[in-house]
Amino acid sequence: MPSPSKITCMEDFRRLAQRRVPRMFYDYADSGSWTEGTYRSNETDFHKLKFRQRVAVDIETRTHRSSMIGIDVAMPVAIAPTGLTGMQHADGEILGAKAAEKFGIPFTLSTMSICSIEDIAAHTHKPFWFQLYVMRDRDFIERLINRAKAANCSALVLTLDLQVLGQRHKDIKNGLSTPPRPTFANLVNLATKPSWCLGMLGTKRRSFGNIVGHAKGVGDLSSLSSWTAEQFDPALSWKDIEWIKKCWGGKLILKGIMDAEDARLAVDSGADALVVSNHGGRQLDGAPSSISALPAIAHAVGKEIEVWMDGGIRSGQDVLKAIALGAKGTMIGRSFLYSLGAMGEAGVTRCLQMIANELDITMGFCGHTDIHNIDRSILLNGDIFDRR
């Protein structure tokens, strides 16, 4: 295993994670729906944007400190909510939250996490964010929100684009279900991942900590499958968002916005921020990339709501491009999972260091010293994605 200091790019982490993490869980993180076209375009569309390099500009003192919904952040990046994170590495959500807290950026815990809300609160000192999926069982949702309040979560991230589940071929082929099925092929693959297995043997957190023992009729993993199959709510509407906002009473972030009309509805809902996101290409295959959808949405809402962007970010340069096209902040999912799966907390820390360093140096090459002054003028082709 190389030292974290020898890791130079996210691809290094991806390859290490692929070697260390069991195939069914690695593929769960590193896959998209159907043809995976949208998943791939999330990354490749960033490459179409070209920087405008400037020289002989005083760039000695640079800062990429910013704020997201009024919270000071070391850089305009938050860790996105990711399901089954504790299956990429034992106690994965706890390790990710600790790394984010030490670095000075927000961490978001998923409803479908392995470690519970209470686990994260017990291992961190600063408030974190909680991501909510809307289930048919509104009583469970209300209790989940109250648990997030009790844990002193400072924002609720409401994911809107999982009313139905996009088909991911790799999950079907690997037998990844809720709970995962121990097929012969999976057991053989597990035998090749000794460090992962040792880590999982050393923790008691191997279930869905926010659900098992909390949802009605779900006392163990065997009863979880039928519950999850019927609980995601296709009837979710803006009226439900109004109810959730009232129940929560704090900062609300709406994730999964890909259309300017929906962005306007997000403004009308009174949310504090929206996240331009196609769920990492895991839901509607054939949808545009997040970065290509960003300019039109940012243009449609102006300064009425904070606009963030999630999907395909693999470097600090990607963060800078998103800021240039109108994002106030960004979120990272797979970059976080690759680094966590590869090296645990030390990997996540190194991931954040790399993103911050790339962001800082690229900003300097573009002749800027303050992240707040970044706009599309740093790009040679900033109008490549239509704003209409």
Side-chain angles (χ1 to χ4, degrees), residues 186-201:
N186 289 337
L187 292 174
V188 169
N189 184 251
L190 279 175
T192 68
K193 315 292 181 182
S195 63
W196 183 91
C197 292
L198 285 172
M200 295 307 296
L201 286 172

Side-chain angles (χ1 to χ4, degrees), residues 200-221:
M200 295 307 296
L201 286 172
T203 182
K204 60 184 178 181
R205 301 176 183 92
R206 305 187 201 99
S207 183
F208 288 89
N210 293 322
I211 299 173
V212 175
H214 297 282
K216 193 177 300 181
V218 184
D220 53 34
L221 278 175

Side-chain angles (χ1 to χ4, degrees), residues 276-309:
V276 179
S277 170
N278 54 33
H279 216 102
R282 295 165 61 77
Q283 285 293 87
L284 177 59
D285 191 35
S289 66
S290 295
I291 190 63
S292 68
L294 171 62
I297 289 172
H299 180 71
V301 301
K303 297 184 182 300
E304 294 181 73
I305 189 173
E306 284 192 23
V307 175
W308 303 347
M309 180 262 162

Side-chain angles (χ1 to χ4, degrees), residues 252-269:
L252 180 65
I253 301 155
L254 301 182
K255 184 173 181 286
I257 303 295
M258 287 292 291
D259 184 88
E261 187 173 344
D262 286 337
R264 292 300 318 168
L265 292 170
V267 171
D268 295 341
S269 77

